[in-house]
Structure formats: C-alpha cells, structure tokens
Amino acid sequence: MARKKIALVGAGNIGGTLALLAGMKDLGDVVLFDIAEGVPQGKALDLAQLSPVEGFDASLKGANDYAEIKDADVVIVTAGIARKPGMSRDDLLGINIKVMQSVGEGIKQNCPNAFVICITNPLDAMVWVLQQACGLPTNKVVGMAGVLDSARFRHFLADEMNVSVEDVTAFVLGGHGDTMVPMVRHSTVAGIALPELVKMGWISQDKLDSIVERTKNGGAEIVGLLKTGSAFYAPAASAILMAESYLKDKRRVLPCAAYLEGQYGVDGLYVGVPVVLGANGVERVVEIELDKTESTLLASSVESVKGLVAACKEIQSKS
Ligand code: A3D
C-alpha cells in the first residue's frame, strides 16, 4: 500500500513541528511548502536527517511550487503571519485573507480530494475563506482550534487537581478567541463533571473560574512570553491528532471549527463544535443541549465570528 501524503502549507514554527510529528508518527510522506525559498527545503533536510535516528521511513521534501503538493491526502495550512505582542487575531485578517486565497487555489489545482485542516488565524474566518477559495466540500475542510483550547483547559485542570492529564476530559465551544466557551458542565475528571468536583472540594469555584479565563486567553499568554511569535508545539500536536483521526478512520470526537448548516442555530459559518472525524472528514456534528448561560455565551461567540466573516467579505469585495 502506498504511503499517504501529507502537505504542510507554511513551513514556519507550526509547519516544522507538524513535519516532525508527522514523521515520528509515521503518518506518511511529508511535503513542506512555503513561499520563503530555502526554508522548507532546509527544514525538510534537517528532519530527513533525523529519520535514521528516530527510525521512520517517511520521506520529507521542501518545496516552493504548488505542483509538489499534488495528490496529497491531507493538507495542513499554517501559511500567513502569526500574532506579535499587542496584536489581535483580527489584525491579521487583511494579510491572511490573501494568503488563504492563494493557498486555496493551490489546493484546488493539485489535491481536490484532500482533507484540509486550517490553523491560520483568525481561525474561524480564515477556514471560511480557505473553503471558499479551494471549493472542496465543507466536510473536507475544517479548522483546528478546539483540540488546542480544550488541551489547554485539560492541562490547567490536571495541574490544579494534581491528577493525570489523561483522566481529564474537556471541551470548548465557539470561535477561537476570547469569546470561546469552555464547557464546564461537560468537562470531567474520570467521568466526574467539574461542578461535582467543586462540591467534592477538589477545586474551588474561584479557581475554576480563573482557569476558564486563563484558557480563553491561553494563546495570548504564550504570545506575551515568547514576544516573537505564538504557540506552536501544542497547536501542531492538535492538528496532527485530527489528521490521524481522518487518515486512520478513527472517528475521534473532537472539537473542531466545522461548517454549520443549522446546528446550534448557526447557518453558513465555521464555528467550533464537537464533531466525529473519520475517513469522510466531518462525519457528524455533535449537537448537545445547552443551558441558558451556555447558549448566551455561544451566541456572543458566534456573533464575533459573524463579524469577522463580514469583514472578510467586505475586504474581498474591494479587492
Ligand atoms: P510562522 O512561524 O510565522 O510561519 C508562517 C509561515 O507561513 C512562514 O514560514 C511564512 O513564510 C509562510 N507564508 C507566508 N505567506 C505564505 C504564502 N502566501 N504561502 C505559503 N506560505 C506562506 O507562524 P506559525 O507557524 O507560528 O503560525 C502560523 C499561523 O497559525 C498563524 O496565523 C498563527 O496565528 C496561527 N496559529 C493558530 C493557532 C490556533 O489555535 C488556531 C495557534 C497558534 C498559531
């Protein structure tokens, strides 16, 4: 059986880490694409020289020509610019729209059957632009944010309660930004929901509230520390988890930015919701009943995504 082909569009901090993880997990042959000449080639060569040490056979290649992503099974997109300190995700909009249009064209021409995962910010708007530009079916184009946001939530909770991260489940709904909705009622330690754990004295309500806030600002916290870019290890690992679920038809239930057509009362937008990811891409959107507070928070998150998409449409209509 031929090896799968993974195309990584953008060979920056996340792109390089994606290539490393795809190789270490033997997901398939990797092509790193970037407009910067030499960068994808240099990273690919460095990683290829790591393969004998780690013992994987996947090939790694760098490219500046879209023809090299031909027939890729999975495309993970990080092309664009990342946030600098003091810069909001929305500031990235104008620049990254143009990047998504060129990447979308490259995908349309070379790998129209791929499963596409967008990471470029502002995420919920960029995945919308990318899907429009590449024209692939909406179940084959998703955004990565929820796996990362819920991993951040899980890490903070496990750290606070001094338990294994493996036993903490969490998920986050809504757009990727400070309006995201960490779902307290649906997050657990070994199946015990967080409100129950507050009653049991495992965590105080104040601490839980501060962890929810810290999760919402998880990206900005790292931007503030790094000063020259944004998080890349955990974002890369999160997208690889999604790619693996697709390639191996695992049908993991993961929070992703998925195209909604009526679910959660949203139509025609990408919003973070739990979905089943399998060989057909997004196989099912998991629609849970929300209480009043959750509905209000989600509605405000959806409004901010709508605002971003409207801004994209305006910029596109002028260009
Ligand atoms: P960075 O290390 O700057 O890499 C971006 C790469 O894109 C650079 O190598 C550029 O040369 C390349 N590039 C720019 N324009 C193009 C183009 N037109 N075609 C191909 N390549 C191009 O950034 P990064 O890897 O740290 O982050 C990449 C993106 O992910 C940014 O938009 C971040 O804001 C975003 N990000 C999202 C999350 C989410 O959870 C959604 C988390 C972290 C970062």
Side-chain angles (χ1 to χ4, degrees):
M1 198 169 74
R3 274 191 228 134
K4 298 290 185 188
K5 179 168 173 180
I6 325 277
L8 306 174
V9 180
N13 280 338
I14 302 180
T17 314
L18 287 167
L20 173 66
L21 293 172
M24 302 270 278
K25 287 179 172 257
D26 247 331
L27 289 188
D29 292 336
V30 175
V31 175
L32 262 169
F33 172 95
D34 204 290
I35 46 164
E37 282 178 23
V39 173
Q41 291 84 354
K43 289 197 179 183
L45 184 58
D46 188 9
L47 287 163
Q49 292 166 356
L50 170 148
S51 67
V53 182
E54 284 298 328
F56 61 80
D57 292 308
S59 76
L60 286 126
K61 191 171 183 184
N64 303 114
D65 182 348
Y66 272 112
E68 297 287 351
I69 74 166
K70 193 161 180 53
D71 297 334
D73 297 286
V74 170
V75 183
I76 307 181
V77 179
T78 59
I81 60 157
R83 272 198 295 172
K84 312 262 176 334
M87 196 176 174
S88 79
R89 288 189 183 91
D90 306 2
D91 294 336
L92 300 176
L93 204 62
I95 300 168
N96 286 350
I97 284 179
K98 289 203 177 70
V99 176
M100 288 308 101
Q101 283 164 338
S102 66
V103 175
E105 194 55 39
I107 294 171
K108 185 195 263 179
Q109 299 296 329
N110 294 288
C111 45
N113 297 315
F115 177 59
V116 179
I117 303 170
C118 179
I119 307 185
T120 301
N121 270 322
L123 191 269
D124 309 276
M126 288 306 103
V127 63
W128 182 88
V129 175
L130 184 64
Q131 191 277 329
Q132 297 260 314
C134 72
L136 270 61
T138 49
N139 61 309
K140 299 291 284 294
V141 184
V142 295
M144 186 297 295
V147 174
L148 171 66
D149 296 329
S150 57
R152 286 176 171 154
F153 196 24
R154 288 170 67 191
H155 161 67
F156 296 145
L157 289 168
D159 203 36
E160 173 61 24
M161 288 185 265
N162 203 17
V163 295
S164 167
V165 285
E166 286 187 69
D167 294 317
V168 182
T169 65
F171 85 77
V172 170
L173 271 184
H176 180 60
D178 46 20
T179 60
M180 73 176 80
V181 191
M183 298 292 285
V184 169
R185 276 194 315 140
H186 301 83
S187 301
T188 72
V189 173
I192 309 164
L194 292 179
E196 201 58 35
L197 289 159
V198 172
K199 283 189 211 150
M200 287 160 61
W202 277 44
I203 185 168
S204 69
Q205 187 62 51
D206 279 357
K207 192 69 208 178
L208 178 54
D209 292 345
S210 75
I211 286 177
V212 165
E213 283 312 304
R214 193 175 177 196
T215 301
K216 290 186 192 174
N217 297 307
E221 184 177 356
I222 293 180
V223 170
L225 290 166
L226 292 179
K227 297 184 179 70
T228 53
S230 54
F232 52 100
Y233 296 117
S238 302
I240 289 291
L241 187 80
M242 292 164 64
E244 201 173 9
S245 189
Y246 169 77
L247 288 168
K248 298 184 179 170
D249 193 21
K250 284 171 75 87
R251 303 196 190 98
R252 294 286 314 265
V253 182
L254 299 171
C256 303
Y259 190 79
L260 299 184
E261 292 172 295
Q263 302 94 333
Y264 294 96
V266 179
D267 200 15
L269 274 187
Y270 275 91
V271 174
V273 291
V275 302
V276 178
L277 275 191
N280 298 313
V282 173
E283 303 204 339
R284 201 185 323 160
V285 171
V286 183
E287 202 172 0
I288 57 166
E289 207 168 298
L290 303 178
D291 67 20
K292 219 170 162 211
T293 313
E294 292 158 354
S295 302
T296 310
L297 291 171
L298 180 63
S300 115
S301 187
V302 168
E303 278 313 304
S304 78
V305 176
K306 267 188 196 159
L308 277 175
V309 170
C312 288
K313 285 181 181 165
E314 197 174 327
I315 293 170
Q316 285 174 319
S317 72
K318 285 181 190 152
S319 62

